[in-house]
Short mmCIF file of all heavy atoms in Angstrom, two decimals:
data_model
loop_
_atom_site.label_atom_id
_atom_site.label_comp_id
_atom_site.label_asym_id
_atom_site.label_seq_id
_atom_site.Cartn_x
_atom_site.Cartn_y
_atom_site.Cartn_z
N MET M 27 1.41 7.18 24.63
CA MET M 27 0.53 6.09 24.30
C MET M 27 1.39 4.78 24.19
O MET M 27 2.00 4.41 25.10
CB MET M 27 -0.17 6.42 22.94
CG MET M 27 -1.09 7.65 23.07
SD MET M 27 -2.71 6.96 22.82
CE MET M 27 -3.62 8.32 23.03
N GLY M 28 1.44 4.29 23.02
CA GLY M 28 2.06 3.01 22.72
C GLY M 28 3.43 3.24 22.12
O GLY M 28 3.90 4.28 21.76
N ASP M 29 4.14 2.11 21.87
CA ASP M 29 5.49 2.17 21.24
C ASP M 29 5.29 2.35 19.70
O ASP M 29 4.67 1.49 19.11
CB ASP M 29 6.26 0.89 21.60
CG ASP M 29 7.68 0.92 21.02
OD1 ASP M 29 8.14 2.03 20.73
OD2 ASP M 29 8.31 -0.19 20.90
N THR M 30 5.88 3.36 19.20
CA THR M 30 5.69 3.54 17.74
C THR M 30 6.78 3.02 16.92
O THR M 30 6.94 3.19 15.76
CB THR M 30 5.59 5.07 17.43
OG1 THR M 30 6.76 5.74 17.86
CG2 THR M 30 4.29 5.54 18.13
N GLY M 31 7.79 2.42 17.70
CA GLY M 31 8.91 1.85 17.00
C GLY M 31 10.08 2.78 16.69
O GLY M 31 11.05 2.50 16.12
N CYS M 32 9.94 4.06 17.09
CA CYS M 32 10.99 5.07 16.93
C CYS M 32 11.87 5.06 18.24
O CYS M 32 11.39 5.26 19.32
CB CYS M 32 10.25 6.49 16.74
SG CYS M 32 11.49 7.77 16.39
N ARG M 33 13.12 4.74 18.01
CA ARG M 33 14.09 4.69 19.10
C ARG M 33 14.97 6.00 19.15
O ARG M 33 15.71 6.11 20.03
CB ARG M 33 15.06 3.50 18.97
CG ARG M 33 14.17 2.22 18.85
CD ARG M 33 13.62 1.86 20.24
NE ARG M 33 12.91 0.63 20.17
CZ ARG M 33 11.88 0.31 20.80
NH1 ARG M 33 11.43 1.17 21.66
NH2 ARG M 33 11.30 -0.84 20.69
N HIS M 34 14.91 6.86 18.26
CA HIS M 34 15.77 8.01 18.24
C HIS M 34 15.13 9.12 19.03
O HIS M 34 13.97 9.47 18.92
CB HIS M 34 16.02 8.57 16.82
CG HIS M 34 16.56 7.54 15.84
ND1 HIS M 34 17.81 7.13 15.96
CD2 HIS M 34 16.02 6.84 14.85
CE1 HIS M 34 18.06 6.15 15.00
NE2 HIS M 34 16.92 5.99 14.33
N THR M 35 15.90 9.70 19.90
CA THR M 35 15.40 10.80 20.81
C THR M 35 15.37 12.10 20.10
O THR M 35 14.73 13.12 20.50
CB THR M 35 16.23 10.85 22.10
OG1 THR M 35 17.62 11.16 21.75
CG2 THR M 35 16.08 9.59 22.85
N THR M 36 16.27 12.29 18.96
CA THR M 36 16.26 13.54 18.30
C THR M 36 15.21 13.63 17.26
O THR M 36 14.80 14.81 16.90
CB THR M 36 17.64 13.73 17.63
OG1 THR M 36 17.91 12.60 16.79
CG2 THR M 36 18.77 13.72 18.73
N SER M 37 14.61 12.61 16.74
CA SER M 37 13.67 12.71 15.70
C SER M 37 12.32 12.73 16.23
O SER M 37 12.10 12.24 17.28
CB SER M 37 13.75 11.54 14.64
OG SER M 37 13.50 10.37 15.32
N VAL M 38 11.35 13.38 15.48
CA VAL M 38 9.93 13.34 15.93
C VAL M 38 9.20 12.15 15.40
O VAL M 38 9.23 11.92 14.17
CB VAL M 38 9.30 14.68 15.46
CG1 VAL M 38 7.96 14.76 15.79
CG2 VAL M 38 10.05 15.94 15.96
N CYS M 39 8.63 11.41 16.23
CA CYS M 39 7.92 10.33 15.92
C CYS M 39 6.43 10.58 16.12
O CYS M 39 6.11 11.19 17.09
CB CYS M 39 8.25 9.08 16.72
SG CYS M 39 10.01 8.54 16.35
N GLN M 40 5.59 10.02 15.19
CA GLN M 40 4.20 10.28 15.33
C GLN M 40 3.51 8.91 15.24
O GLN M 40 3.80 8.13 14.46
CB GLN M 40 3.66 11.18 14.16
CG GLN M 40 2.25 11.44 14.30
CD GLN M 40 1.84 12.33 13.03
OE1 GLN M 40 2.65 12.66 12.16
NE2 GLN M 40 0.61 12.84 13.20
N GLU M 41 2.48 8.72 16.16
CA GLU M 41 1.75 7.57 16.19
C GLU M 41 0.86 7.39 14.93
O GLU M 41 0.45 8.49 14.45
CB GLU M 41 0.95 7.40 17.49
CG GLU M 41 1.84 7.23 18.66
CD GLU M 41 0.92 6.80 19.85
OE1 GLU M 41 -0.18 6.14 19.74
OE2 GLU M 41 1.43 7.05 20.99
N PRO M 42 0.59 6.29 14.43
CA PRO M 42 -0.33 6.11 13.31
C PRO M 42 -1.66 6.52 13.72
O PRO M 42 -2.12 6.22 14.80
CB PRO M 42 -0.21 4.70 12.93
CG PRO M 42 0.30 3.99 14.23
CD PRO M 42 1.18 4.90 14.86
N THR M 43 -2.39 7.14 12.85
CA THR M 43 -3.73 7.62 13.12
C THR M 43 -4.68 6.46 12.99
O THR M 43 -4.56 5.63 12.10
CB THR M 43 -4.12 8.78 12.14
OG1 THR M 43 -4.04 8.19 10.83
CG2 THR M 43 -3.24 10.01 12.41
N PRO M 44 -5.77 6.47 13.81
CA PRO M 44 -6.70 5.35 13.67
C PRO M 44 -7.59 5.58 12.44
O PRO M 44 -7.69 6.57 11.89
CB PRO M 44 -7.48 5.53 14.95
CG PRO M 44 -7.43 6.98 15.37
CD PRO M 44 -6.00 7.36 14.93
N MET M 45 -8.27 4.53 11.98
CA MET M 45 -9.15 4.57 10.89
C MET M 45 -10.23 5.55 11.20
O MET M 45 -10.79 5.44 12.33
CB MET M 45 -9.69 3.20 10.55
CG MET M 45 -10.59 3.20 9.37
SD MET M 45 -11.07 1.56 9.01
CE MET M 45 -10.08 1.23 7.61
N PRO M 46 -10.72 6.46 10.26
CA PRO M 46 -11.75 7.37 10.53
C PRO M 46 -13.06 6.59 10.85
O PRO M 46 -13.32 5.46 10.30
CB PRO M 46 -11.79 8.13 9.28
CG PRO M 46 -10.65 7.79 8.46
CD PRO M 46 -10.12 6.65 8.98
N ARG M 47 -13.83 7.26 11.56
CA ARG M 47 -15.06 6.63 12.06
C ARG M 47 -16.10 6.33 10.92
O ARG M 47 -16.52 5.17 10.85
CB ARG M 47 -15.92 7.63 13.05
CG ARG M 47 -17.07 6.86 13.66
CD ARG M 47 -17.59 7.78 14.81
NE ARG M 47 -16.56 7.95 15.78
CZ ARG M 47 -16.70 8.77 16.80
NH1 ARG M 47 -17.66 9.62 16.82
NH2 ARG M 47 -15.75 8.82 17.72
N LEU M 48 -16.21 7.14 9.93
CA LEU M 48 -17.04 6.92 8.83
C LEU M 48 -16.57 5.73 7.95
O LEU M 48 -17.33 4.88 7.46
CB LEU M 48 -17.20 8.12 7.85
CG LEU M 48 -18.10 9.21 8.42
CD1 LEU M 48 -18.15 10.48 7.52
CD2 LEU M 48 -19.64 8.71 8.63
N ALA M 49 -15.31 5.62 7.77
CA ALA M 49 -14.73 4.57 7.06
C ALA M 49 -14.87 3.22 7.92
O ALA M 49 -15.15 2.18 7.22
CB ALA M 49 -13.20 4.67 6.80
N LEU M 50 -14.81 3.22 9.13
CA LEU M 50 -15.01 2.00 9.87
C LEU M 50 -16.50 1.61 9.83
O LEU M 50 -16.82 0.46 9.59
CB LEU M 50 -14.70 2.36 11.39
CG LEU M 50 -14.70 1.09 12.28
CD1 LEU M 50 -13.72 0.04 11.86
CD2 LEU M 50 -14.43 1.60 13.73
N TYR M 51 -17.46 2.49 9.86
CA TYR M 51 -18.84 2.27 9.70
C TYR M 51 -19.14 1.60 8.34
O TYR M 51 -19.93 0.64 8.25
CB TYR M 51 -19.80 3.48 9.96
CG TYR M 51 -19.74 3.90 11.40
CD1 TYR M 51 -20.09 5.24 11.70
CD2 TYR M 51 -19.46 3.15 12.47
CE1 TYR M 51 -20.15 5.75 13.03
CE2 TYR M 51 -19.50 3.61 13.73
CZ TYR M 51 -19.86 4.82 13.98
OH TYR M 51 -19.92 5.32 15.32
N ALA M 52 -18.53 2.25 7.34
CA ALA M 52 -18.82 1.66 6.02
C ALA M 52 -18.22 0.29 5.76
O ALA M 52 -18.76 -0.54 5.14
CB ALA M 52 -18.13 2.71 4.98
N LEU M 53 -17.09 -0.03 6.44
CA LEU M 53 -16.47 -1.27 6.44
C LEU M 53 -17.36 -2.33 7.11
O LEU M 53 -17.62 -3.50 6.63
CB LEU M 53 -15.05 -1.28 7.08
CG LEU M 53 -14.34 -2.63 7.12
CD1 LEU M 53 -14.02 -3.02 5.67
CD2 LEU M 53 -13.13 -2.48 7.86
N VAL M 54 -18.03 -1.97 8.21
CA VAL M 54 -18.91 -2.87 8.86
C VAL M 54 -20.15 -3.20 8.00
O VAL M 54 -20.57 -4.26 7.89
CB VAL M 54 -19.35 -2.26 10.29
CG1 VAL M 54 -20.52 -2.94 10.91
CG2 VAL M 54 -18.12 -2.23 11.29
N VAL M 55 -20.65 -2.17 7.33
CA VAL M 55 -21.78 -2.26 6.44
C VAL M 55 -21.38 -3.23 5.34
O VAL M 55 -22.14 -4.07 4.93
CB VAL M 55 -22.32 -0.91 5.94
CG1 VAL M 55 -23.30 -1.10 4.87
CG2 VAL M 55 -22.96 -0.18 7.13
N CYS M 56 -20.19 -3.03 4.85
CA CYS M 56 -19.77 -3.90 3.70
C CYS M 56 -19.69 -5.35 4.17
O CYS M 56 -20.19 -6.25 3.43
CB CYS M 56 -18.42 -3.40 3.32
SG CYS M 56 -17.67 -4.36 1.83
N VAL M 57 -19.12 -5.66 5.29
CA VAL M 57 -19.01 -7.05 5.72
C VAL M 57 -20.32 -7.65 5.93
O VAL M 57 -20.58 -8.77 5.64
CB VAL M 57 -18.07 -7.11 7.02
CG1 VAL M 57 -18.21 -8.41 7.60
CG2 VAL M 57 -16.75 -6.71 6.66
N LEU M 58 -21.26 -6.83 6.57
CA LEU M 58 -22.60 -7.37 6.84
C LEU M 58 -23.40 -7.56 5.58
O LEU M 58 -24.11 -8.52 5.56
CB LEU M 58 -23.35 -6.46 7.83
CG LEU M 58 -22.87 -6.29 9.28
CD1 LEU M 58 -23.57 -5.34 10.05
CD2 LEU M 58 -23.02 -7.69 9.91
N SER M 59 -23.30 -6.78 4.62
CA SER M 59 -23.92 -6.95 3.30
C SER M 59 -23.51 -8.07 2.54
O SER M 59 -24.19 -8.80 1.87
CB SER M 59 -24.04 -5.58 2.55
OG SER M 59 -22.71 -5.30 2.20
N VAL M 60 -22.08 -8.40 2.66
CA VAL M 60 -21.55 -9.65 1.96
C VAL M 60 -22.17 -10.83 2.60
O VAL M 60 -22.65 -11.84 2.02
CB VAL M 60 -20.06 -9.46 2.03
CG1 VAL M 60 -19.49 -10.82 1.66
CG2 VAL M 60 -19.57 -8.50 1.14
N ALA M 61 -22.24 -10.83 4.00
CA ALA M 61 -22.88 -11.91 4.75
C ALA M 61 -24.27 -12.12 4.35
O ALA M 61 -24.84 -13.26 4.09
CB ALA M 61 -22.77 -11.77 6.20
N ALA M 62 -25.04 -11.04 4.23
CA ALA M 62 -26.40 -11.11 3.81
C ALA M 62 -26.64 -11.53 2.45
O ALA M 62 -27.52 -12.35 2.20
CB ALA M 62 -27.06 -9.72 4.04
N ALA M 63 -25.75 -11.23 1.53
CA ALA M 63 -25.78 -11.72 0.14
C ALA M 63 -25.51 -13.21 0.10
O ALA M 63 -26.23 -13.90 -0.63
CB ALA M 63 -24.76 -10.99 -0.67
N VAL M 64 -24.59 -13.66 0.79
CA VAL M 64 -24.26 -15.12 0.80
C VAL M 64 -25.49 -15.87 1.34
O VAL M 64 -25.94 -16.90 0.78
CB VAL M 64 -23.05 -15.41 1.74
CG1 VAL M 64 -22.88 -16.89 2.03
CG2 VAL M 64 -21.83 -14.87 0.98
N VAL M 65 -26.08 -15.34 2.45
CA VAL M 65 -27.22 -16.06 3.04
C VAL M 65 -28.37 -16.06 1.95
O VAL M 65 -29.20 -17.03 1.78
CB VAL M 65 -27.69 -15.43 4.34
CG1 VAL M 65 -29.03 -15.90 4.79
CG2 VAL M 65 -26.57 -15.65 5.30
N SER M 66 -28.67 -14.97 1.29
CA SER M 66 -29.62 -14.75 0.30
C SER M 66 -29.48 -15.73 -0.83
O SER M 66 -30.50 -16.43 -1.24
CB SER M 66 -29.85 -13.37 -0.17
OG SER M 66 -30.22 -12.46 0.84
N PHE M 67 -28.31 -15.85 -1.32
CA PHE M 67 -28.09 -16.61 -2.42
C PHE M 67 -28.20 -18.19 -2.05
O PHE M 67 -28.71 -18.95 -2.87
CB PHE M 67 -26.71 -16.45 -3.13
CG PHE M 67 -26.72 -15.21 -3.95
CD1 PHE M 67 -25.75 -14.25 -3.81
CD2 PHE M 67 -27.75 -14.90 -4.92
CE1 PHE M 67 -25.72 -13.10 -4.54
CE2 PHE M 67 -27.73 -13.79 -5.71
CZ PHE M 67 -26.65 -12.93 -5.59
N VAL M 68 -27.76 -18.39 -0.85
CA VAL M 68 -27.87 -19.90 -0.29
C VAL M 68 -29.38 -20.27 -0.20
O VAL M 68 -29.74 -21.40 -0.55
CB VAL M 68 -27.17 -20.10 0.95
CG1 VAL M 68 -27.50 -21.32 1.67
CG2 VAL M 68 -25.62 -20.00 0.75
N GLN M 69 -30.19 -19.34 0.15
CA GLN M 69 -31.60 -19.70 0.29
C GLN M 69 -32.36 -19.54 -0.94
O GLN M 69 -33.59 -19.88 -1.09
CB GLN M 69 -32.21 -18.60 1.26
CG GLN M 69 -31.81 -18.89 2.71
CD GLN M 69 -32.42 -17.85 3.63
OE1 GLN M 69 -33.13 -16.87 3.27
NE2 GLN M 69 -32.24 -18.06 4.95
N GLY M 70 -31.66 -19.28 -2.14
CA GLY M 70 -32.31 -19.29 -3.45
C GLY M 70 -32.88 -17.97 -3.68
O GLY M 70 -33.70 -17.90 -4.82
N SER M 71 -32.76 -16.93 -3.08
CA SER M 71 -33.37 -15.59 -3.26
C SER M 71 -32.44 -14.77 -4.19
O SER M 71 -31.30 -14.65 -3.98
CB SER M 71 -33.70 -14.94 -2.00
OG SER M 71 -34.17 -13.60 -2.08
N LEU M 72 -33.09 -14.06 -5.09
CA LEU M 72 -32.37 -13.13 -5.92
C LEU M 72 -32.15 -11.73 -5.30
O LEU M 72 -31.58 -10.93 -5.89
CB LEU M 72 -33.02 -12.99 -7.31
CG LEU M 72 -32.95 -14.23 -8.19
CD1 LEU M 72 -33.68 -13.99 -9.49
CD2 LEU M 72 -31.46 -14.61 -8.39
N LEU M 73 -32.72 -11.60 -4.09
CA LEU M 73 -32.43 -10.40 -3.32
C LEU M 73 -31.05 -10.18 -2.94
O LEU M 73 -30.60 -9.10 -2.70
CB LEU M 73 -33.44 -10.39 -2.02
CG LEU M 73 -33.46 -9.10 -1.27
CD1 LEU M 73 -34.11 -8.00 -2.06
CD2 LEU M 73 -34.20 -9.40 0.08
N GLY M 74 -30.24 -11.17 -3.13
CA GLY M 74 -28.86 -11.08 -2.81
C GLY M 74 -28.14 -10.19 -3.76
O GLY M 74 -26.99 -9.57 -3.43
N ILE M 75 -28.64 -9.93 -4.98
CA ILE M 75 -28.17 -9.00 -5.93
C ILE M 75 -28.12 -7.66 -5.29
O ILE M 75 -27.15 -6.88 -5.43
CB ILE M 75 -28.91 -9.09 -7.27
CG1 ILE M 75 -28.76 -10.35 -7.84
CG2 ILE M 75 -28.46 -7.89 -8.17
CD1 ILE M 75 -29.64 -10.60 -9.09
N VAL M 76 -29.18 -7.26 -4.64
CA VAL M 76 -29.17 -5.92 -3.92
C VAL M 76 -28.08 -5.80 -2.88
O VAL M 76 -27.48 -4.82 -2.63
CB VAL M 76 -30.61 -5.76 -3.27
CG1 VAL M 76 -30.66 -4.42 -2.58
CG2 VAL M 76 -31.68 -5.70 -4.39
N TRP M 77 -27.83 -6.86 -2.15
CA TRP M 77 -26.87 -6.99 -1.12
C TRP M 77 -25.48 -6.85 -1.78
O TRP M 77 -24.64 -6.23 -1.05
CB TRP M 77 -26.97 -8.23 -0.18
CG TRP M 77 -28.20 -8.26 0.58
CD1 TRP M 77 -29.25 -9.14 0.50
CD2 TRP M 77 -28.47 -7.34 1.73
NE1 TRP M 77 -30.15 -8.85 1.53
CE2 TRP M 77 -29.74 -7.81 2.23
CE3 TRP M 77 -27.75 -6.32 2.28
CZ2 TRP M 77 -30.26 -7.12 3.34
CZ3 TRP M 77 -28.38 -5.66 3.35
CH2 TRP M 77 -29.59 -6.04 3.86
N VAL M 78 -25.28 -7.42 -2.83
CA VAL M 78 -23.94 -7.30 -3.47
C VAL M 78 -23.77 -5.91 -3.91
O VAL M 78 -22.62 -5.34 -3.81
CB VAL M 78 -23.83 -8.24 -4.76
CG1 VAL M 78 -22.74 -7.97 -5.57
CG2 VAL M 78 -23.87 -9.73 -4.27
N LEU M 79 -24.78 -5.27 -4.51
CA LEU M 79 -24.70 -3.85 -4.89
C LEU M 79 -24.34 -2.98 -3.77
O LEU M 79 -23.47 -2.01 -3.83
CB LEU M 79 -25.87 -3.36 -5.51
CG LEU M 79 -26.15 -4.05 -6.95
CD1 LEU M 79 -27.47 -3.58 -7.51
CD2 LEU M 79 -25.05 -3.67 -7.92
N LEU M 80 -25.05 -3.29 -2.59
CA LEU M 80 -24.63 -2.43 -1.43
C LEU M 80 -23.31 -2.65 -0.81
O LEU M 80 -22.61 -1.76 -0.38
CB LEU M 80 -25.77 -2.90 -0.28
CG LEU M 80 -25.69 -2.04 1.02
CD1 LEU M 80 -25.91 -0.56 0.80
CD2 LEU M 80 -26.62 -2.50 2.11
N ALA M 81 -22.79 -3.97 -0.95
CA ALA M 81 -21.44 -4.24 -0.58
C ALA M 81 -20.41 -3.48 -1.45
O ALA M 81 -19.42 -2.93 -0.93
CB ALA M 81 -21.13 -5.77 -0.73
N GLY M 82 -20.75 -3.34 -2.77
CA GLY M 82 -19.82 -2.55 -3.56
C GLY M 82 -19.78 -1.15 -3.26
O GLY M 82 -18.66 -0.49 -3.27
N LEU M 83 -20.98 -0.67 -3.07
CA LEU M 83 -21.09 0.83 -2.67
C LEU M 83 -20.34 1.18 -1.31
O LEU M 83 -19.58 2.04 -1.24
CB LEU M 83 -22.58 1.33 -2.61
CG LEU M 83 -22.89 2.74 -2.10
CD1 LEU M 83 -22.28 3.70 -3.08
CD2 LEU M 83 -24.32 2.81 -1.76
N SER M 84 -20.58 0.26 -0.34
CA SER M 84 -20.03 0.50 0.95
C SER M 84 -18.48 0.26 0.90
O SER M 84 -17.77 0.98 1.71
CB SER M 84 -20.60 -0.29 2.02
OG SER M 84 -20.48 -1.62 1.75
N SER M 85 -17.97 -0.64 0.10
CA SER M 85 -16.53 -0.78 -0.01
C SER M 85 -15.97 0.42 -0.67
O SER M 85 -14.78 0.94 -0.26
CB SER M 85 -16.19 -2.06 -0.77
OG SER M 85 -16.50 -1.88 -2.09
N ASN M 86 -16.50 1.06 -1.59
CA ASN M 86 -16.00 2.25 -2.24
C ASN M 86 -16.00 3.39 -1.20
O ASN M 86 -15.08 4.27 -1.23
CB ASN M 86 -16.89 2.59 -3.43
CG ASN M 86 -16.61 1.75 -4.59
OD1 ASN M 86 -15.56 1.12 -4.72
ND2 ASN M 86 -17.47 1.84 -5.61
N MET M 87 -17.07 3.46 -0.39
CA MET M 87 -17.12 4.50 0.58
C MET M 87 -16.01 4.26 1.61
O MET M 87 -15.37 5.34 2.03
CB MET M 87 -18.47 4.43 1.37
CG MET M 87 -19.60 5.00 0.53
SD MET M 87 -21.16 4.76 1.25
CE MET M 87 -21.08 5.79 2.73
N THR M 88 -15.84 3.11 1.96
CA THR M 88 -14.58 2.77 2.93
C THR M 88 -13.35 3.29 2.39
O THR M 88 -12.54 3.97 3.11
CB THR M 88 -14.56 1.27 3.25
OG1 THR M 88 -15.78 0.84 3.76
CG2 THR M 88 -13.37 1.00 4.25
N TRP M 89 -13.12 2.97 1.19
CA TRP M 89 -11.80 3.37 0.46
C TRP M 89 -11.78 4.85 0.44
O TRP M 89 -10.62 5.47 0.76
CB TRP M 89 -11.77 2.82 -1.02
CG TRP M 89 -10.56 3.30 -1.70
CD1 TRP M 89 -9.38 2.81 -1.61
CD2 TRP M 89 -10.62 4.31 -2.63
NE1 TRP M 89 -8.55 3.48 -2.49
CE2 TRP M 89 -9.27 4.52 -3.11
CE3 TRP M 89 -11.59 5.22 -3.05
CZ2 TRP M 89 -8.95 5.37 -4.14
CZ3 TRP M 89 -11.29 6.16 -3.97
CH2 TRP M 89 -9.90 6.33 -4.46
N TYR M 90 -12.86 5.54 0.05
CA TYR M 90 -12.82 7.01 0.01
C TYR M 90 -12.55 7.70 1.25
O TYR M 90 -11.70 8.60 1.35
CB TYR M 90 -14.22 7.50 -0.60
CG TYR M 90 -14.41 8.98 -0.62
CD1 TYR M 90 -13.75 9.74 -1.51
CD2 TYR M 90 -15.14 9.66 0.45
CE1 TYR M 90 -13.88 11.13 -1.53
CE2 TYR M 90 -15.30 10.98 0.45
CZ TYR M 90 -14.65 11.76 -0.59
OH TYR M 90 -14.78 13.09 -0.57
N TYR M 91 -13.26 7.36 2.34
CA TYR M 91 -13.06 8.04 3.57
C TYR M 91 -11.82 7.71 4.27
O TYR M 91 -11.11 8.63 4.82
CB TYR M 91 -14.21 7.58 4.60
CG TYR M 91 -15.58 8.30 4.24
CD1 TYR M 91 -16.65 7.45 4.07
CD2 TYR M 91 -15.60 9.70 4.17
CE1 TYR M 91 -17.93 8.21 3.76
CE2 TYR M 91 -16.82 10.26 3.92
CZ TYR M 91 -17.96 9.54 3.69
OH TYR M 91 -19.16 10.12 3.33
N ALA M 92 -11.26 6.52 4.07
CA ALA M 92 -9.92 6.15 4.63
C ALA M 92 -8.75 6.98 3.79
O ALA M 92 -7.89 7.55 4.37
CB ALA M 92 -9.66 4.71 4.43
N ARG M 93 -8.93 7.09 2.43
CA ARG M 93 -7.95 7.72 1.61
C ARG M 93 -8.05 9.32 1.94
O ARG M 93 -7.02 9.96 2.04
CB ARG M 93 -8.24 7.52 0.23
CG ARG M 93 -7.12 8.04 -0.70
CD ARG M 93 -7.29 7.55 -2.08
NE ARG M 93 -6.21 8.03 -2.89
CZ ARG M 93 -6.21 9.15 -3.65
NH1 ARG M 93 -7.31 9.91 -3.70
NH2 ARG M 93 -5.27 9.52 -4.40
N ARG M 94 -9.24 9.83 2.11
CA ARG M 94 -9.40 11.19 2.46
C ARG M 94 -8.74 11.57 3.75
O ARG M 94 -7.98 12.59 3.84
CB ARG M 94 -10.92 11.57 2.44
CG ARG M 94 -11.04 13.13 2.55
CD ARG M 94 -12.39 13.42 2.47
NE ARG M 94 -13.11 13.12 3.82
CZ ARG M 94 -14.37 13.61 4.02
NH1 ARG M 94 -15.09 14.30 3.29
NH2 ARG M 94 -14.84 13.30 5.23
N ALA M 95 -8.91 10.75 4.76
CA ALA M 95 -8.30 11.01 5.99
C ALA M 95 -6.73 10.92 5.99
O ALA M 95 -6.03 11.72 6.61
CB ALA M 95 -8.88 10.03 7.11
N ARG M 96 -6.28 9.91 5.24
CA ARG M 96 -4.82 9.78 5.05
C ARG M 96 -4.21 10.92 4.32
O ARG M 96 -3.16 11.44 4.84
CB ARG M 96 -4.49 8.45 4.34
CG ARG M 96 -3.10 8.03 4.33
CD ARG M 96 -2.91 6.74 3.66
NE ARG M 96 -4.13 6.16 3.25
CZ ARG M 96 -4.27 5.47 2.09
NH1 ARG M 96 -3.24 5.29 1.28
NH2 ARG M 96 -5.40 4.99 1.75
N LEU M 97 -4.88 11.32 3.41
CA LEU M 97 -4.38 12.64 2.60
C LEU M 97 -4.40 13.84 3.43
O LEU M 97 -3.50 14.68 3.47
CB LEU M 97 -5.08 12.86 1.36
CG LEU M 97 -4.93 11.75 0.26
CD1 LEU M 97 -5.81 12.07 -1.03
CD2 LEU M 97 -3.42 11.68 -0.18
N ARG M 98 -5.52 14.01 4.27
CA ARG M 98 -5.67 15.17 5.19
C ARG M 98 -4.63 15.13 6.20
O ARG M 98 -4.04 16.15 6.57
CB ARG M 98 -7.06 15.19 5.78
CG ARG M 98 -7.31 16.35 6.51
CD ARG M 98 -8.69 16.43 7.15
NE ARG M 98 -8.83 15.24 7.92
CZ ARG M 98 -10.06 14.47 7.86
NH1 ARG M 98 -10.97 14.87 7.01
NH2 ARG M 98 -10.18 13.41 8.62
N ASP M 99 -4.31 14.01 6.82
CA ASP M 99 -3.34 13.87 7.78
C ASP M 99 -1.88 14.07 7.27
O ASP M 99 -1.13 14.65 7.94
CB ASP M 99 -3.44 12.51 8.56
CG ASP M 99 -4.63 12.39 9.34
OD1 ASP M 99 -5.21 13.39 9.69
OD2 ASP M 99 -4.96 11.18 9.64
N GLY M 100 -1.64 13.68 6.08
CA GLY M 100 -0.40 13.85 5.48
C GLY M 100 -0.15 15.28 5.14
O GLY M 100 0.97 15.91 5.28
N SER M 101 -1.19 16.08 4.68
CA SER M 101 -1.00 17.45 4.42
C SER M 101 -0.84 18.33 5.56
O SER M 101 -0.18 19.25 5.64
CB SER M 101 -2.20 17.97 3.47
OG SER M 101 -3.33 17.95 4.22
N ALA M 102 -1.55 17.87 6.69
CA ALA M 102 -1.33 18.60 7.96
C ALA M 102 0.01 18.40 8.51
O ALA M 102 0.58 19.37 9.09
CB ALA M 102 -2.48 18.07 8.94
N ALA M 103 0.57 17.17 8.37
CA ALA M 103 1.90 16.93 8.87
C ALA M 103 2.94 17.65 8.12
O ALA M 103 3.93 18.14 8.59
CB ALA M 103 2.15 15.46 8.87
N SER M 104 2.72 17.83 6.82
CA SER M 104 3.71 18.45 5.99
C SER M 104 3.74 20.06 6.00
O SER M 104 4.73 20.58 5.85
CB SER M 104 3.60 18.11 4.49
OG SER M 104 2.39 18.69 4.00
N THR M 105 2.70 20.53 6.48
CA THR M 105 2.52 21.95 6.64
C THR M 105 2.79 22.41 8.07
O THR M 105 2.90 23.61 8.34
CB THR M 105 1.04 22.58 6.28
OG1 THR M 105 0.11 21.91 7.16
CG2 THR M 105 0.79 22.34 4.81
N GLY M 106 2.82 21.37 8.94
CA GLY M 106 3.29 21.79 10.36
C GLY M 106 2.05 22.20 11.16
O GLY M 106 2.29 22.75 12.31
N SER M 107 0.87 21.92 10.72
CA SER M 107 -0.29 22.28 11.56
C SER M 107 -0.61 21.35 12.53
O SER M 107 -0.45 20.19 12.49
CB SER M 107 -1.56 22.43 10.54
OG SER M 107 -1.22 23.38 9.60
#
């Protein structure tokens, strides 16, 4: 694939894993809900509160799925699977 920055031929280098798909979707929802909240508040609507709550929920989901994948990949690498 690409250059991982490892120059030693004797050590095993592993490419960084991409962000999990669910974490990426949750991040997109978070960004879009923040934009919707800003637009709602600029227009004077209190519906922006719902968008802020959705942004908080989706940011927590992003963190959870990214951390779970990182821990799963770390445990698989340490066990040799």
